[in-house]
C-alpha cells in the first residue's frame, strides 16, 4: 500500500497480549488430540512458526543488549517566474500466573516482546497469558475479520491451534520428551533478497532516551537519495540495527523536500510530525515481515532529487540506545508498465464529543475507470473501534474490501490481497469508521474523556482508508489521477469550511480556507477569508502575506505591496513570506529588490525551489547565464517535476552552446508537459543544432 500517511504515534504493547507476529498456523493431528499435549511435541511448533519472529532474544547482542534490568513493553525568458505561494501551517503443577513481563528472567527480544518463546521455562511462566491472548485473538496481531477480503500473509491462528494451546495449559503445561523438540528457527543476519542496488542509512544516529510515563516514541527521519537518473524500485528491505527497540517503520517519498524544513525546525535528528498529505507512502515494515521482490512492471519510480522519509515507531527502555537502521533498495532496469495509484477515502472535520462511544464517519468515491485493487491500508488513532471498507458495483452488488471489528492502533498494517480485486468503472468505494471516546475505551488517552478533533497528533484523531489500485488500461491512469485530484480539492475545501464553522474566531482556520479557495481559483472568496483572519489577528503574518498575493492578483498592486511588506516585518525569518514579497516586487517592476528577497529566502531555506527558479528566470535575460543555470539546476534538483525549470534550463544551455545538456533538459520538459509548444519547439531547435 502506498499512501501519504506517515504520522502514527503508536501505543505501548500490552503485556498479556504480546505473543507473536505470526505468519502461519500449525494444525494439531488427531493423534495429538488423543494423547497428552506437550510443549516439545505440540506447542513449540506453533510458537516457533508463528511467534518467534518477535519473541526471540536479540542476536549479535552488544553489552547493552543483554538481559533486561527493568521492563520493556513492548531561463530564462520563455516562462514567467513562479507565482507567490499561499501559506498554511510433564505432569507438573498447573502454571502460575505469569511473572511481570520483561522481568530480569527474560532476555531482550525483538520489537520489545517481553519474553522468548524459544525457552520452555519462559513459555511455561506465561502460559496462561498466552492462552488468554490467543483465545481473545489479541494475538497474533491480525486485525481483519475472516471472510471480508482475502489477504496474503494472514496471521490468524486456526481454531484448532488455539484449542490445543488451551488444552496444554489446563493440563499443567508439560514440557514433554526433549527428543521431540523441534529445531529452533533461524533468522538471516544478512540481506534476505541479496545485495541491494542501493543501501541508505540514517545520516545521523538517533539516541532513544527513556521516556517517563510512556514507552512509545514516534519520529520521522529525512534520508537523501544519491541518484542522478530515474530509478525503478522493485523491492525494499529494512534492516533494524536495534530490533528490540523498533515496533514498526514506514517509508515515504518526499518529492517537494518539505520534510527538510520540518527537520531543521526540530532539534536533534529527525522531527515529530508532518502532514501526511505531503508525502507518498511506499513501504511498511514490522518484525518478521519478509521482503518481497515485486514484478518489474509493478515497480515504483524514484526520481533524482527525491528525499525519503522514514517513520520509526520506537519503544524506549530504561537506558539510552542508539538507533540507525538501514534500507536496501532493489532496482529494475525498465520502467513499470502498470501504475499503482492510491485512492484515499477520508473523514474530514472529525469532532468526537467526550463520552461518545459510537461516533461514525463515512466517505465514498466513484471510480471513473476499471481498476484492480491490490492492497488496502486503514488508519485511525487511539479512539478507533471498528472499520469497514466496501465496494458497491454498478449492478448494486457489494464486495467487502475490509472489516476490522476491533481496531488496535498498535498493530495497524497494510493488507495485500491474495489476488487483485476487479472493480469496474462506476464502482463506489466506501468507508465507515466508528470511534469510542468513552471512559470504557482502555485506549482513550484522556481521563476523563475530552472532545477530540481531527489532527495529525496521536491525541487527535484521523480516519483514512487507502486503497491501492491499478487501472486496467495504462491510459486510464491519467484519467483517474485527474479525477481524484479534483475530488480531493473539493474535499479539502469542505473540510476547511467545516473547521471555520467549528472555530470561527480562529484566524488560522480562515487562512487555511483561503489557501484552499486559491487552489480552486476562487480569489474573491479567498480574499474575504483573509480579511476576516486579519480582523481576528492583525499580526497573523501568513494571512497578511496571502492577502497581499490576492490583492495583486486582483490588480491592486500597491495595496498588495503594503501587506507583503508588513508580513515580512512580522516574520522576517520566514522564507515563504520573503518569497511572496519578492514575487510582489517583480509584479511592480522592481527586479533588483526582488532578487534580494529571493536570495534572502534561499539563505533562510536552501530548499526553496521556487526562489531558485525565479532567480534563474530573472538572471538569464541579464546575460548572467552561469548564475541562472546554477539556480535552475538547483530548482530541478529540489523539484524534478518542475517542467518550466527544465525548459528554462534548456534555453540557458542552448545560449551557451551546451547542446547535449540542453537536449537532456528539453526532453525532461516535454516529458513532464507534453502539451507545451515552447518546450517542444526548444527541443527541436536543440536537436537541429546538434545535427549541424
Amino acid at each position: 500500500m502506498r499512501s501519504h500517511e506517515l504520522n502514527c504515534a503508536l501505543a505501548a504493547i500490552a503485556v498479556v497480549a504480546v505473543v507473536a507476529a505470526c505468519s502461519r498456523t500449525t494444525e494439531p493431528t488427531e493423534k495429538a488430540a488423543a494423547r497428552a499435549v506437550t510443549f516439545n511435541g505440540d506447542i513449540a511448533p506453533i510458537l516457533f512458526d508463528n511467534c518467534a519472529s518477535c519473541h526471540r532474544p536479540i542476536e549479535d547482542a552488544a553489552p547493552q543488549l543483554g538481559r533486561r534490568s527493568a521492563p520493556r513493553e513492548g531561463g530564462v525568458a520563455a516562462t514567467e517566474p513562479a507565482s507567490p505561494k499561499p501559506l498554511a501551517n510433564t505432569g507438573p503443577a498447573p502454571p502460575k500466573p505469569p511473572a511481570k513481563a520483561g522481568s530480569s528472567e527474560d532476555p531482550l527480544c525483538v520489537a520489545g516482546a517481553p519474553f522468548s518463546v524459544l525457552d520452555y521455562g519462559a513459555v511455561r511462566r506465561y502460559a496462561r497469558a498466552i492462552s488468554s491472548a490467543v483465545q481473545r485473538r489479541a494475538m497474533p496481531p491480525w486485525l481483519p475479520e475472516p471472510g471480508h477480503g482475502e489477504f496474503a500473509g494472514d496471521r490468524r491462528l486456526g481454531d484448532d491451534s488455539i484449542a490445543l494451546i488451551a488444552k496444554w495449559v489446563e493440563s499443567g503445561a508439560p514440557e514433554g520428551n526433549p527428543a521431540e523438540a523441534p529445531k529452533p528457527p533461524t533468522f538471516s543476519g544478512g540481506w534476505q533478497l541479496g545485495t541491494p542496488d542501493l543501501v541508505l542509512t540514517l545520516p545521523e544516529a538517533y539516541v532513544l532516551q527513556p521516556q517517563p510515563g510512556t514507552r512509545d516514541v514516534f519520529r520521522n527521519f529525512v534520508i537523501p537519495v544519491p541518484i542522478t537518473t530515474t530509478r525503478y524500485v522493485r523491492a525494499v528491505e529494512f534492516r533494524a540495527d536495534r530490533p528490540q527497540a523498533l515496533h514498526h517503520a514506514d517509508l515515504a517519498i518526499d518529492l517537494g523536500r518539505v520534510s527538510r524544513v520540518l527537520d531543521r525546525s526540530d532539534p536533534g535528528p529527525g522531527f515529530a510530525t508532518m502532514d501526511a498529505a505531503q508525502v507518498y507512502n511506499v513501504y511498511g515494515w514490522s518484525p518478521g515481515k519478509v521482503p518481497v521482490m515485486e514484478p518489474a512492471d509493478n515497480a515504483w519510480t524514484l526520481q533524482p532529487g527525491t528525499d525519503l522519509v522514514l517513520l520509526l515507531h520506537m519503544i524506549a527502555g530504561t537506558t539510552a540506545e542508539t538507533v540507525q537502521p538501514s534500507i536496501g533498495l532493489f532496482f529494475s532496469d525498465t520502467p513499470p508498465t502498470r501504475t499503482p495509484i492510491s485512492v484515499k477515502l477520508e473523514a474530514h472535520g472529525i469532532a468526537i464529543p467526550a463520552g461518545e462511544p459510537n461516533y461514525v464517519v463515512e466517505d465514498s468515491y466513484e471510480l471513473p475507470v476499471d481498476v484492480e485493487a491490490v492492497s488496502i491500508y486503514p488508519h485511525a488513532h487511539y479512539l478507533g473501534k471498528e472499520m469497514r471498507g466496501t465496494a458497491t458495483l454498478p449492478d448494486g452488488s457489494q464486495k467487502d474490501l475490509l472489516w476490522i471489528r476491533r481496531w488496535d492502533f498498535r498493530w495497524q498494517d497494510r493488507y495485500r490481497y491474495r489476488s487483485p480485486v476487479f472493480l469496474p468503472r462506476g464502482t463506489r468505494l466506501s468507508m465507515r469508521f466508528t470511534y469510542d471516546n468513552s471512559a470504557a475505551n482502555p485506549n482513550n488517552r484522556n481521563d476523563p474523556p475530552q472532545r477530540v478533533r481531527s489532527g495529525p497528533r496521536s491525541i487527535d484523531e484521523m480516519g483514512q482508508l487507502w486503497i491501492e489500485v491499478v487501472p486496467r488500461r495504462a491510459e486510464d491512469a491519467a484519467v483517474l489521477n485527474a479525477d481524484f485530484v479534483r475530488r480531493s480539492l473539493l474535499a479539502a475545501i469542505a473540510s476547511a469550511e467545516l473547521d471555520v464553522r467549528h472555530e470561527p474566531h480562529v484566524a488560522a482556520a480562515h487562512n487555511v480556507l483561503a489557501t484552499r479557495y486559491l487552489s480552486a481559483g476562487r480569489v474573491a472568496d479567498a480574499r474575504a477569508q483573509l480579511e476576516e483572519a486579519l480582523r481576528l489577528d492583525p499580526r497573523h503574518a501568513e494571512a497578511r502575506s496571502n492577502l497581499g498575493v490576492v490583492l495583486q492578483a486582483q490588480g491592486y498592486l500597491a495595496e498588495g505591496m503594503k501587506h507583503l511588506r508588513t508580513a515580512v516585518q512580522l516574520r522576517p525569518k520566514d522564507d515563504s513570506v520573503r518569497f511572496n514579497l519578492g514575487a510582489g516586487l517583480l509584479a511592480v517592476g522592481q527586479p533588483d529588490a526582488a532578487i534580494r528577497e529571493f536570495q534572502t529566502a534561499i539563505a533562510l531555506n536552501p530548499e526553496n525551489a521556487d526562489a531558485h527558479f525565479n532567480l534563474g528566470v530573472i538572471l538569464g535575460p541579464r546575460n548572467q547565464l552561469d548564475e541562472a543555470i546554477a539556480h535552475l539546476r538547483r530548482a530541478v534538483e529540489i523539484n524534478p517535476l518542475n517542467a518550466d525549470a527544465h525548459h528554462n534550463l534548456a534555453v540557458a544551455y542552448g545560449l551557451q552552446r551546451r547542446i547535449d545538456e540542453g537536449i537532456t533538459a528539453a526532453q525532461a520538459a516535454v516529458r513532464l508537459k507534453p502539451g507545451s509548444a515552447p518546450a517542444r519547439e526548444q527541443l527541436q531547435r536543440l536537436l537541429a543544432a546538434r545535427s549541424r
Side-chain angles (χ1 to χ4, degrees), residues 164-285:
L164 198 62
I165 292 172
K167 181 179 179 180
W168 174 68
V169 172
E170 293 307 316
S171 66
E175 181 177 11
N177 186 354
E180 294 182 352
K183 183 179 178 180
T186 58
F187 298 88
S188 172
W191 296 102
Q192 298 182 59
L193 293 178
T195 302
D197 296 298
L198 178 64
V199 177
L200 303 171
T201 304
L202 293 190
E204 183 179 357
Y206 178 76
V207 180
L208 177 62
Q209 300 285 359
Q211 303 293 313
T214 184
R215 293 156 300 174
D216 298 279
V217 177
F218 173 81
R219 198 82 175 162
N220 298 277
F221 300 90
V222 183
I223 306 178
V225 183
I227 58 175
T228 57
T229 60
T230 300
R231 305 307 301 262
Y232 309 103
V233 183
R234 289 186 63 185
V236 178
E237 185 172 338
F238 181 86
R239 293 189 69 181
D241 64 325
R242 289 291 185 266
Q244 80 280 5
L246 293 178
H247 185 278
H248 97 287
D250 282 308
L251 188 67
I253 298 173
D254 179 9
L255 289 172
R257 290 187 171 179
V258 295
S259 55
R260 294 196 179 192
V261 178
L262 297 170
D263 194 20
R264 284 197 298 269
S265 64
D266 195 320
F271 57 96
T273 61
M274 72 183 299
D275 184 350
Q278 295 176 311
V279 295
Y280 186 70
N281 188 278
V282 292
Y283 177 77
W285 171 88

Side-chain angles (χ1 to χ4, degrees), residues 182-400:
K183 183 179 178 180
T186 58
F187 298 88
S188 172
W191 296 102
Q192 298 182 59
L193 293 178
T195 302
D197 296 298
L198 178 64
V199 177
L200 303 171
T201 304
L202 293 190
E204 183 179 357
Y206 178 76
V207 180
L208 177 62
Q209 300 285 359
Q211 303 293 313
T214 184
R215 293 156 300 174
D216 298 279
V217 177
F218 173 81
R219 198 82 175 162
N220 298 277
F221 300 90
V222 183
I223 306 178
V225 183
I227 58 175
T228 57
T229 60
T230 300
R231 305 307 301 262
Y232 309 103
V233 183
R234 289 186 63 185
V236 178
E237 185 172 338
F238 181 86
R239 293 189 69 181
D241 64 325
R242 289 291 185 266
Q244 80 280 5
L246 293 178
H247 185 278
H248 97 287
D250 282 308
L251 188 67
I253 298 173
D254 179 9
L255 289 172
R257 290 187 171 179
V258 295
S259 55
R260 294 196 179 192
V261 178
L262 297 170
D263 194 20
R264 284 197 298 269
S265 64
D266 195 320
F271 57 96
T273 61
M274 72 183 299
D275 184 350
Q278 295 176 311
V279 295
Y280 186 70
N281 188 278
V282 292
Y283 177 77
W285 171 88
S286 58
K289 181 170 183 175
V290 178
V292 176
M293 188 72 73
E294 295 281 358
D297 63 350
N298 277 356
W300 50 272
T301 302
L302 184 61
Q303 298 283 2
T306 299
D307 285 338
L308 296 179
V309 181
L310 179 65
L311 158 68
L312 295 182
H313 170 207
M314 297 171 284
I315 305 171
T318 58
T319 59
E321 296 180 81
T322 58
V323 178
Q324 196 171 21
S326 298
I327 300 164
L329 301 182
F330 299 80
F331 298 144
S332 169
D333 294 330
T334 57
T337 58
R338 293 158 58 87
T339 305
I341 298 172
S342 290
V343 174
K344 181 176 69 170
L345 305 182
E346 184 172 18
H348 295 283
I350 293 175
I352 313 177
E356 173 57 56
N358 291 294
Y359 182 88
V360 176
V361 298
E362 296 178 310
D363 192 23
S364 65
Y365 173 65
E366 185 174 311
L367 291 167
V369 297
D370 293 349
V371 303
E372 292 177 343
V374 295
S375 69
I376 189 166
Y377 174 48
H379 178 63
H381 294 168
Y382 291 105
L383 302 185
K385 183 168 69 171
E386 182 182 17
M387 299 176 171
R388 284 187 179 271
T390 59
T392 303
L393 307 186
D395 63 3
S397 63
Q398 190 174 91
K399 288 184 179 180
D400 286 344

Side-chain angles (χ1 to χ4, degrees), residues 515-567:
T515 64
R516 303 293 188 262
Y517 284 153
L518 284 175
S519 297
R522 297 168 57 176
V523 179
D525 291 334
R527 177 176 175 178
Q529 292 298 320
L530 292 168
E531 288 172 341
E532 177 62 12
L534 292 176
R535 185 190 69 79
L536 294 167
D537 182 5
R539 298 185 58 80
H540 197 290
E542 290 181 357
R544 194 163 294 279
S545 181
N546 288 339
L547 182 57
V549 171
V550 168
L551 289 170
Q552 289 202 328
Q554 292 182 319
Y556 303 104
L557 299 183
E559 187 179 352
M561 281 302 305
K562 292 178 181 178
H563 288 285
L564 293 170
R565 293 188 186 278
T566 300

Side-chain angles (χ1 to χ4, degrees), residues 75 595 614-625 627-628 631:
I595 288 173
N614 279 5
L615 282 174
V617 171
I618 297 171
L619 296 174
R622 295 183 173 202
N623 206 32
Q624 296 175 249
L625 291 177
E627 295 92 333
H631 283 293

